[in-house]
Amino acid sequence: MTTTAEVEAPTALEATRLRRAFGAVQAVVDASLTLERGTVTALIGPNGCGKTTLMLMLAGLLRPDGGEVTIGGLDPMQDGASARARIGWMPDVLGTWDSLTCTETLVTFGRAYGASAAEASQTAYSLLQRVHLAEYAAQPARVLSRGQKQRLSLARALVHDPDVLILDEPASGLDPRSRIELRDLVRSLASEGKAVLISSHVLSELDEMVDEAVFMARGVTLGESAQAEVARAKARWRVVALPGQDVHEALSSATRDWSPVEGADSSTAVVQVADAEDAAALLGKLVRKGVRISAFGPVGSALEQAYLSLDQDRR
Ligand SMILES: Nc1ncnc2c1ncn2[C@@H]1O[C@H](COP(=O)(O)OP(=O)(O)OP(=O)(O)O)[C@@H](O)[C@H]1O
Ligand SMILES: [Mg+2]
């Protein structure tokens, strides 16, 4: 039975000042994050910055050298089984038992979490439907393509109906349709009240999927500065006028916060707007000045722009 306190507590997972070294390599130096129920959070950072190491610690699969994790108030290192029962982990590379069928894989995991045989096979059946693998239910996992294995891995992370889902690069290897399905599935899991943490390098896709973003560089989670950068990136809009039109002149007299686009002529510019309303007002002004605008909208992916402007390199 769920208590009222659990229903009301918005925080599903809280991590404070985690660190972890492997020998001389300080993989995670200082990482903190909060996952709220019903939200999807992106974990973004360059190769080797410590995302997988951090996720393993959050999932209770790797012991931190310092710092704290609580999952619904429980410490995964102290209250191992009950904390881990609340967490679903999807690794970046699925280790499947190749001889087991998809159904057997899910039933085995369900049973390991304490479900009866009947419950476990019912859950396996509905999860295989949910990840569009029903027709492979009786096939051994070794016949699955990489993308299909990813989907089986996601189903496996869901067998015990966890409150928190930690997905490491779930979109890698997925074709465009499967990515869209993944996005819809992740959103629907969040709307059921789960907290989802998702790492990915495909930032433009995360834009539409996530509510919050945590940036990480060299083992450290970047707090406010990264959030501010995302907000700034969201407010950057591109104006494109018909060839030969001078947007720059019109913008100068509108005294807006604008800049030319490198390599483009004066028919194109980027403006900083406060919000959509502000953008609409600016568009009205430009049109009244007689500029013939052919396109006006946010500049690409806000997460991608924020990521690039943070300028954190690989290690
Ligand atoms: N088991 C391990 N033993 C030794 N070093 C490790 C181990 N796991 C990770 N590291 C090192 O820790 C650092 C962080 O690795 P991690 O896998 O967490 O990065 P990541 O952000 O997930 O990278 P990617 O985007 O490539 O998946 C790297 O320098 C890596 O070489
Ligand atoms: Mg990784």
Side-chain angles (χ1 to χ4, degrees):
M1 204 180 86
T2 349
T3 66
T4 320
E6 274 176 309
V7 171
E8 282 170 0
T11 299
L13 182 148
E14 178 127 41
T16 323
R17 312 218 61 177
L18 289 175
R19 59 192 162 79
R20 169 73 198 214
F22 298 104
V25 180
Q26 195 68 45
V28 170
V29 177
D30 184 359
S32 300
L33 58 81
T34 303
L35 304 182
E36 307 288 353
R37 289 168 50 87
T39 63
V40 182
T41 305
L43 181 61
I44 299 167
N47 292 132
C49 75
K51 300 181 298 295
T52 297
T53 308
L54 172 59
M55 287 179 140
L56 286 168
M57 290 192 285
L58 299 179
L61 297 169
L62 182 70
R63 186 176 285 281
D65 294 334
E68 275 184 10
V69 182
T70 56
I71 298 155
L74 303 170
D75 176 341
M77 286 299 154
Q78 301 297 328
D79 321 286
S82 42
R84 276 198 292 276
R86 296 177 180 221
I87 285 234
W89 160 247
M90 176 180 169
D92 52 352
V93 181
L94 172 70
T96 47
W97 298 312
D98 280 353
S99 58
L100 293 190
T101 66
C102 294
T103 301
E104 285 164 354
T105 302
L106 298 184
V107 167
T108 306
F109 269 80
R111 299 279 284 149
Y113 280 106
S116 70
E119 283 166 352
S121 48
Q122 176 55 43
T123 304
Y125 176 81
S126 61
L127 283 175
L128 288 173
Q129 301 273 343
R130 200 164 184 187
V131 300
H132 307 282
L133 281 179
E135 60 184 293
Y136 292 91
Q139 298 281 340
R142 69 169 174 277
V143 312
L144 300 181
S145 72
R146 181 172 153 73
Q148 289 164 339
K149 278 190 180 153
Q150 287 291 93
R151 288 188 263 144
L152 179 61
S153 178
L154 179 58
R156 201 182 67 173
L158 289 166
V159 287
H160 54 304
D161 192 23
D163 298 335
V164 180
L165 264 173
I166 299 187
L167 315 177
D168 197 2
E169 302 278 347
S172 75
L174 297 186
D175 61 34
R177 179 190 297 280
S178 303
R179 285 176 183 221
I180 292 167
E181 285 166 359
L182 172 73
R183 183 187 70 200
D184 294 347
L185 179 57
V186 165
R187 286 303 338 168
S188 81
L189 292 165
S191 68
E192 289 164 18
K194 297 188 193 309
V196 186
L197 180 67
I198 180 166
S199 75
S200 174
H201 288 120
V202 192
L203 301 184
S204 52
E205 284 176 4
L206 286 177
D207 266 337
E208 293 174 26
M209 201 194 301
V210 308
D211 306 297
E212 305 288 339
V214 172
F215 287 81
M216 196 170 182
R218 295 175 182 272
V220 179
T221 46
L222 312 174
E224 303 292 307
S225 60
Q227 297 303 335
E229 197 49 53
V230 174
R232 230 184 340 267
K234 273 188 183 152
R236 219 168 277 148
W237 286 44
R238 186 191 305 278
V239 192
V240 181
L242 292 177
Q245 295 277 298
D246 194 348
V247 175
H248 292 187
E249 198 199 320
L251 284 168
S252 306
S253 61
T255 63
R256 301 298 306 195
D257 184 2
W258 70 277
S259 53
V261 175
E262 208 175 315
D265 64 14
S266 60
S267 65
T268 304
V270 169
V271 295
Q272 196 77 31
V273 296
D275 48 28
E277 196 123 326
D278 189 27
L282 174 61
L283 180 61
K285 264 191 207 168
L286 292 176
V287 170
R288 281 192 296 280
K289 283 177 187 291
V291 187
R292 301 179 68 205
I293 309 286
S294 59
F296 184 52
V299 181
S301 153
L303 293 175
E304 204 160 74
Q305 287 186 65
Y307 177 84
L308 294 173
S309 69
L310 288 167
D311 198 26
Q312 302 289 346
D313 53 357
R314 295 171 291 270
R315 66 173 164 189

